[in-house]
């Protein structure tokens, strides 16, 4: 019996999560990360660190550099050069307000390019930023995991400053 | 034209990631988390904290309590009572070696129960631990995100102790 060549037959692997649901998960994380940035005092965002680590601003600049351009790259195969990363927040923003505007722009970029990525593309190998090889789903999860990772480091900075971080479970 | 009622037609949503690939992602995270535990000096694992936070041992006890039993619960609908959480590492392990043995057991539990979860089940609503409502994929991603989150907090503890954490990108 011949089967219809419909969309759900294209891939043989069973489903854990769909692209739409994964995007919703990520957008929830981005809302939480934004609240963690907002919780920092203006000066501590750009200046404070523990144990010789980077400032929270510079960590979040890394997330900015990777997330929006990463999704654009997976969608279009147009990549900025990643070999000369400059994750310096002060090079792009002189205040938290300016930084948060860039954060929102990156979120819009993710939302705009996400629907252009096919389910076949999510399974393909990509060379992200001309440097990082892996299946696209894995690369995207790395972007998200990296955001969770650095955000969590920021929550320790906040606690050490006597500030209670936004609740981890709240993604609204 | 009638279509075959094969596995890939069961769900209409397109694929971001399959259960097998998601499990592999998680197992990579669990290997990295284990290395972060191993990087702690014996006493600091159980005693050290920053800003009034929990010790890294107690955070990792939370991950132990949730991850293996959580996957068993999603697979079988048998849940331990979650309303009386006691995320006290010293109640179950008096050394890092003992704790790491529990970690490996939890990993084995995840691996054992994972194949019993159908792709339909991943999309169903579950009441995890009798308390937390959500689609199973979302609950599982929460388990993983929570592990990444607390592990990252542990890396700040390590840096503040002058210890370089294991590389975030290495999941081997």
């Amino acid at each position: 019996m011949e089967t219809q060549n419909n969309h759900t037959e294209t891939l043989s692997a069973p489903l854990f999560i769909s692209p739409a649901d994964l995007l919703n998960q990520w957008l929830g994380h981005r809302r939480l990360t934004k609240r963690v940035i907002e919780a920092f005092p203006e000066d501590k965002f750009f200046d404070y660190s523990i144990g010789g680590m980077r400032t929270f601003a510079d960590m979040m600049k890394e997330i900015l550099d990777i997330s929006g351009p990463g999704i654009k790259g997976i969608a279009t195969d147009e990549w900025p050069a990643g070999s000369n990363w400059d994750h310096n927040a002060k090079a792009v923003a002189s205040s938290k307000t300016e930084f948060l505007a860039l954060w929102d722009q990156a979120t819009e970029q993710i939302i705009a390019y996400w629907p252009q990525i096919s389910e076949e593309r999510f399974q393909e190998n990509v060379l992200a930023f001309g440097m990082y090889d892996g299946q696209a789903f894995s690369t995207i999860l790395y972007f998200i995991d990296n955001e969770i990772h650095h955000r969590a480091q920021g929550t320790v900075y906040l606690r050490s400053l006597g500030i209670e971080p936004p609740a981890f479970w709240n993604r609204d």
Side-chain angles (χ1 to χ4, degrees), chain A:
Chain A
M1 187 171 80
E2 200 178 10
T3 59
Q4 287 185 335
N5 185 25
N6 63 19
H7 198 53
T8 56
E9 287 186 323
T10 309
L11 296 171
S12 58
L15 180 72
F16 176 79
I17 190 170
S18 70
D21 285 334
L22 195 282
L23 176 61
N24 279 334
Q25 292 279 324
W26 192 3
L27 295 178
H29 277 301
R30 290 187 64 87
R31 286 189 288 270
L32 173 54
T33 304
K34 192 174 171 182
R35 282 198 291 277
V36 173
I37 295 170
E38 288 168 339
F40 268 78
E42 182 78 25
D43 57 339
K44 303 298 185 194
F45 179 62
F46 289 103
D47 295 336
Y48 187 74
S49 85
I50 291 177
M53 296 173 69
R54 286 178 287 171
T55 66
F56 192 56
D58 285 353
M59 293 181 195
M60 291 299 100
K61 174 63 163 56
E62 176 184 319
I63 304 304
L64 266 190
D65 292 340
I66 290 170
S67 53
I71 294 305
K72 181 185 175 187
I74 290 169
T76 65
D77 248 330
E78 295 168 24
W79 298 96
S83 54
N84 293 305
W85 294 115
D86 177 14
H87 303 313
N88 175 7
K90 287 191 173 169
V92 298
S94 60
S95 67
K96 266 176 48 186
T97 302
E98 281 182 35
F99 192 90
L100 287 166
L102 295 174
W103 188 263
D104 288 342
Q105 288 172 26
T107 302
E108 292 307 313
Q109 191 175 29
I110 292 167
I111 293 170
Y113 282 104
W114 190 265
Q116 300 182 27
I117 307 173
S118 68
E119 62 172 336
E120 293 79 10
R121 179 63 171 164
F122 284 120
Q123 311 306 312
E124 282 176 9
N125 264 60
V126 296
L127 193 66
F129 299 99
M131 301 169 67
Y132 308 108
D133 187 35
Q135 282 176 277
F137 68 75
S138 172
T139 301
I140 292 166
L141 291 177
Y142 191 92
F143 298 162
I144 300 171
D145 295 345
N146 198 33
E147 178 177 335
I148 298 168
H149 173 75
H150 287 310
R151 181 183 66 207
Q153 294 178 326
T155 66
V156 184
Y157 287 15
L158 287 174
R159 286 280 185 191
S160 76
L161 292 164
I163 298 166
E164 182 171 344
F168 177 74
W169 50 264
N170 183 1
R171 310 293 165 77
D172 289 343

